[in-house]
Amino acid sequence: MGKKRDGGGLTASQQAAKFLGVSVLAGAVLAGLALPAAGALGLAAKGTVEGFDEIPSNMKTPPLSQRTTILDANGGEIAKVYFRNRTVVDLKDISPYMQKAIVAIEDSRFYQHGAIDMKGILRAVNKNAQSGGVSQGASTLTQQYVKNVFVEEAGNDRDKVAEATQQTIGRKVRELKYAIQVEKELGKKKILQNYLNITFFGQQAYGVEAAAQRYFSKPAKDLNLSESALLAGIVQSPSRYDPVNDEEEATKRRNTVLQRMADVHDITQAQADAAAKKPIVLHVSTPRNGCITAVDGAGFFCDYVREAFLNDPVFGKTPKARLARWQRGGMTIRTTLDPQAQKAVQKSVSDHVYDSDPVATAAALVEPGSGKIRGMGQSRPYGFKAHQTQMNLSVDGDMGGGAGYQPGSTFKPVIAAAAIEQGVSPNKVYPSPYQMQYPSPVSTCKGMWRGSAPVENENRSEKGPYGMKEATAKSVNTYFVSLISDVGICPVTKMADKMGIKRADGKDIDQVPSITLGTQEMSPLTMAAGYAAFANRGEYCTPVAIESITGPNGKAMKVPQTSCRRAMSEKTADTINTLLQGVVEDGTGKEAGLSSRPSAGKTGTTDGRYAAWFVGYTPNMAGAVWVGDPEHKRRMVDINIGGRPYDKVFGGQVPGPIWRDAMAGALAGKPAPGFHTVPIHNPKDKKMDRAKPPSGGSDDKPGGGGIDLPDLPDLPDVIGGGDGGWNWPGGGHGRGQNR
């Protein structure tokens, strides 16, 4: 190796020795690269060993990426998700045959040498020099482990993977130094355990446990001799020796491993011969990865859990850090999902709306007082085929949902709550004609809104005067338009904010009177959580999906907690409960009423019938159901839904029964507490002085005045006509009218 080349100068190995200061290490580098001596000539100084002493002494070993298991509130499995299919196991849980097979074929002198096998290096250098090409390498199992750690740390970053595997002297030197450190700190058994857990065995299986399950549907501790030899042989080239796709090549490789085990006396020659005669017998298990495999239609909830993890700073300061932690996996996540409630939700949406229908439905259930999401389902399954979707129709855009849907008259209770908090009496009466102009001006958070446009009720026979209770039950548009003109827009938007009711696209609710009629797109989860504040006597709690997380080390991780705040007084909430009980008892939501327990709620149907809603609650569960076209194109007129024809769809007609069946199933066998209610005056009980407005109003207010109310038939609710401020000067963003 000390000869000079023709023409003078040092050989490639002498150049490397000059950098290293030791000829043996230069040989180690060349052998590790599996290059002939002449091949080193092209290696530039960059990437050599000048910085040997600057390499950190402690190897940075990232936790291995593993499967994460997502559980429901009772501990039942929802799904397994992973960036890499791996389950880390102890050496005692790996078959002795497997341990011997991998050592025999990859590094038979593993227990005799240190981090570097000098005998192997000299043999490889000599062999490569004789052949004049790539003939043999000398990387020890420890060096291979170090290289795998770099690859694991690189993840899916192609540049980092290339850096971790580049054929340069610099990388090999760094690998050698880390290998020495690893041998010193971990010892042989730990290195072997780590190697078997990190190595890729093909077919998406990382680590021997995942490989044993993938190919043989059994744990690694139960692998027999033949199976162990097969897996050990795959490591050198997972694609070439894949037994699923090329049994012949895999068999040859397995037999090579068996013979090597006999040569090093791990098994007898008779054992090797007997095992080699047996055909490969696979029991392949297809990995079930991701939310698409979730049970009981919980794929979208599973996806929500992922989004909750990736969006919450408690799991990492930056989005990149949170994604890295999620991909590392190895967690057991117990969620808030109630399996009874989830089954009830999914059965109800599937029974009432088919996945092939021109419209879809989504439902979300939230527990008042805790914010725990107990159920989440939709009619279009989680998937990539026809009539399937990956969009979670129940949630906001930043959590995997869309732009939301106009909630229609389900927003009216927010108006009522804001008014009552401002001192307006629930006995307030307005003339509430069939049709009227939007009152103008109306105060906003930033001044006054001014404009002119008509608003009307659903039916010409629907005309006042009305009090708040009957106006809520019948969803009288002109009553609530008059109410917001008295209260002002700002208290309403502030009430919505305190109730967590916000637009699905994250923008602020517009300061226009038409918000009275539900013109701002929102999600079912938002509406369910908001109504839960009524059920919880005025206290709103942010929705949460994660109960606890256990990390791969068995230790509990910090998880986000619900945040509760008072949105309104108990008296105001009790008043709303009284009003909304009337909706399911005598109003537009009678088809949604629960026969076994007290319930309350509100229907909603938008202009053109692009969306229909029912949002309701009991004291111990709140839920929202939306039905419509996610693309906002198909009107629900002359339509078949769930095998039934409808001339026109109303909130109480399709969403109402979905809500009823989902809630009945979710609450079956559970306590049935009652509401706190308050007496509300019915203007039909006593003639009122038409010359005087009722308490809380005045004749000089746009909606002032009060009269007695005759009996009127129950009518479906549709938000009123006119643009309500959408196309007027200062009124907003120029959208067409909503009903």
Side-chain angles (χ1 to χ4, degrees):
M1 296 179 65
K3 293 182 179 180
K4 292 186 177 181
R5 294 180 291 116
D6 292 339
L10 296 176
T11 65
S13 58
Q14 287 175 323
Q15 291 179 22
K18 185 177 180 180
F19 283 116
L20 291 170
V22 225
S23 60
V24 173
L25 189 53
V29 170
L30 293 175
L33 284 168
L35 293 173
L41 290 172
L43 295 173
K46 181 180 180 181
T48 60
V49 295
E50 290 178 324
F52 184 88
D53 292 332
E54 299 174 6
I55 298 174
S57 59
N58 294 321
M59 180 178 180
K60 184 180 180 181
T61 307
L64 299 183
S65 174
Q66 301 183 64
R67 290 184 301 179
T68 286
T69 303
I70 301 177
L71 307 176
D72 62 34
N74 294 348
E77 183 176 312
I78 296 174
K80 282 186 171 68
V81 297
Y82 55 80
F83 170 64
R84 286 180 174 165
N85 183 21
R86 177 189 283 119
T87 301
V88 173
V89 293
D90 292 333
L91 196 62
K92 64 181 177 59
D93 294 320
I94 301 174
S95 165
Y97 286 125
M98 185 68 223
Q99 298 178 41
K100 292 177 180 179
I102 201 71
V103 170
I105 196 64
E106 292 296 322
D107 185 4
S108 61
R109 287 173 36 80
F110 177 62
Y111 291 106
Q112 282 75 53
H113 61 67
I116 303 170
D117 184 4
M118 301 307 299
K119 184 177 179 180
I121 288 171
L122 294 174
R123 182 185 66 246
V125 169
N126 182 58
K127 186 72 173 177
N128 290 340
Q130 291 177 358
S131 67
V134 178
S135 174
Q136 198 172 113
S139 290
T140 65
L141 191 143
T142 305
Q143 289 173 265
Q144 292 180 48
Y145 165 64
V146 170
K147 178 181 177 180
N148 279 329
V149 170
F150 293 148
V151 173
E152 175 75 18
E153 190 175 36
N156 276 348
D157 189 319
R158 293 184 177 182
D159 292 337
K160 288 185 177 180
V161 171
E163 182 182 342
T165 57
Q166 61 183 333
Q167 295 293 323
T168 64
I169 290 178
R171 182 188 68 79
K172 293 303 296 184
V173 171
R174 183 175 67 153
E175 188 177 285
L176 287 172
K177 183 177 182 183
Y178 284 154
I180 294 170
Q181 188 71 19
V182 165
E183 286 266 353
K184 178 181 176 181
E185 294 184 358
L186 300 184
K188 295 293 187 181
K189 288 187 176 180
K190 186 66 173 178
I191 291 170
L192 179 59
Q193 174 183 299
N194 289 0
Y195 178 81
L196 286 168
N197 278 311
I198 199 172
T199 300
F200 180 52
F201 288 86
Q203 290 286 328
Q204 303 179 37
Y206 288 83
V208 67
E209 180 69 16
Q213 295 289 351
R214 177 71 173 109
Y215 295 108
F216 304 113
S217 300
K218 62 167 62 174
K221 65 181 179 180
D222 294 337
L223 292 169
N224 61 31
L225 173 58
S226 178
E227 293 164 344
S228 297
L230 177 70
L231 294 186
I234 290 174
V235 171
Q236 186 184 82
S237 180
S239 58
R240 178 180 177 183
Y241 300 124
D242 182 354
V244 175
N245 296 313
D246 196 334
E247 183 177 337
E248 182 178 353
E249 279 294 310
T251 301
K252 291 178 182 178
R253 180 63 176 168
R254 179 202 64 177
N255 294 347
T256 298
V257 176
L258 289 169
Q259 186 57 52
R260 184 59 179 163
M261 293 178 74
D263 292 343
V264 298
H265 308 297
D266 283 333
I267 59 174
T268 66
Q269 188 63 51
Q271 286 177 302
D273 293 342
K277 291 178 182 178
K278 296 179 180 179
I280 291 177
V281 179
L282 301 178
H283 296 284
V284 177
S285 295
T286 302
R288 291 179 58 80
N289 176 33
C291 293
I292 196 170
T293 67
V295 299
D296 297 324
F300 297 100
F301 176 80
C302 170
D303 194 64
Y304 182 85
V305 170
R306 176 183 179 275
E307 293 293 335
F309 190 101
L310 296 179
N311 279 276
D312 201 305
V314 75
F315 298 115
K317 293 182 179 180
T318 65
K320 184 177 180 180
R322 295 191 290 273
L323 177 60
R325 182 64 195 87
W326 178 263
Q327 291 181 338
R328 197 156 67 240
M331 299 175 287
T332 300
I333 302 177
R334 186 181 287 264
T335 70
T336 61
L337 194 74
D338 177 359
Q340 176 181 329
Q342 179 61 28
K343 288 178 182 177
V345 168
Q346 194 57 39
K347 184 178 187 305
S348 184
V349 298
S350 299
D351 287 349
H352 290 278
V353 182
Y354 299 157
D355 59 3
S356 58
D357 283 344
V359 294
T361 185
L365 302 184
V366 175
E367 183 177 85
S370 71
K372 294 177 180 179
I373 303 170
R374 294 305 196 184
M376 182 182 290
Q378 60 192 55
S379 58
R380 292 183 181 173
Y382 192 105
F384 304 91
K385 301 177 182 178
H387 311 305
Q388 297 181 343
T389 183
Q390 299 85 56
M391 181 183 291
N392 188 341
L393 303 177
S394 292
V395 303
D396 291 345
D398 63 351
M399 297 298 287
Y405 323 98
Q406 292 182 340
S409 294
T410 62
F411 194 78
K412 287 175 180 173
V414 180
I415 314 295
I420 294 168
E421 283 286 283
Q422 293 295 306
V424 175
S425 168
N427 298 318
K428 177 78 172 181
V429 175
Y430 286 107
S432 311
Y434 161 67
Q435 188 180 68
M436 60 181 281
Q437 291 289 313
Y438 270 86
S440 178
V442 180
S443 65
T444 72
C445 292
K446 298 180 179 180
M448 302 295 290
W449 172 90
R450 289 179 172 82
S452 177
V455 59
E456 61 187 30
N457 299 325
E458 167 65 10
N459 195 295
R460 288 188 176 275
S461 63
E462 190 180 68
K463 52 188 178 181
Y466 287 113
M468 190 178 291
K469 185 174 184 179
E470 190 166 10
T472 302
K474 297 181 183 296
S475 198
V476 179
N477 296 328
T478 55
Y479 179 93
F480 283 92
V481 166
S482 298
L483 183 60
I484 198 172
S485 72
D486 275 356
V487 175
I489 297 169
C490 195
V492 173
T493 56
K494 288 183 176 180
M495 174 59 69
D497 182 65
K498 288 188 287 186
M499 293 176 65
I501 294 178
K502 60 187 187 304
R503 288 173 49 143
D505 60 8
K507 297 179 181 179
D508 292 336
I509 295 176
D510 289 324
Q511 295 281 309
V512 293
S514 64
I515 64 172
T516 310
L517 308 178
T519 54
Q520 310 283 285
E521 285 85 355
M522 294 164 181
S523 70
L525 179 59
T526 288
M527 296 303 294
Y531 269 53
F534 296 142
N536 195 36
R537 302 194 72 192
E539 189 174 59
Y540 167 76
C541 298
T542 56
V544 290
I546 299 173
E547 289 264 23
S548 65
I549 300 180
T550 302
N553 56 4
K555 295 182 179 179
M557 294 172 56
K558 186 179 180 181
V559 298
Q561 303 294 317
T562 188
S563 174
C564 297
R565 60 177 180 263
R566 181 149 294 282
M568 67 196 78
S569 69
E570 288 188 352
K571 184 176 180 181
T572 295
D574 294 344
T575 303
I576 299 298
N577 295 339
T578 307
L579 294 172
L580 297 187
Q581 270 193 292
V583 175
V584 298
E585 291 173 354
D586 303 307
T588 58
K590 285 190 293 185
E591 291 189 56
L594 299 173
S595 59
S596 60
R597 62 186 64 239
S599 60
K602 186 71 187 74
T603 55
T605 312
T606 66
D607 178 40
R609 290 178 172 79
Y610 289 101
W613 291 72
F614 187 85
V615 187
Y617 54 96
T618 68
N620 51 354
M621 189 74 77
V625 175
W626 158 86
V627 176
D629 178 5
E631 296 182 1
H632 308 273
K633 295 178 179 178
R634 179 66 160 89
R635 297 179 61 206
M636 290 185 288
V637 177
D638 295 325
I639 190 172
N640 280 291
I641 303 176
R644 294 181 57 187
Y646 295 92
D647 293 333
K648 297 178 181 179
V649 170
F650 299 104
Q653 190 179 46
V654 179
I658 296 173
W659 182 91
R660 177 197 64 213
D661 293 350
M663 291 285 283
L667 294 172
K670 297 184 179 180
F675 290 111
H676 292 81
T677 58
V678 298
I680 297 178
H681 174 74
N682 186 339
K684 289 184 291 186
D685 294 338
K686 181 181 179 180
K687 292 288 183 180
M688 303 185 68
D689 186 353
R690 299 191 181 200
K692 296 181 180 180
S695 175
S698 62
D699 285 329
D700 60 350
K701 286 275 189 171
I707 57 175
D708 205 3
L709 176 68
D711 288 324
L712 291 173
D714 293 327
L715 296 170
D717 62 305
V718 177
I719 67 174
D723 3 25
W726 292 87
N727 284 327
W728 314 330
H733 37 62
R735 288 186 50 172
Q737 69 176 19
N738 290 288
R739 288 180 59 85

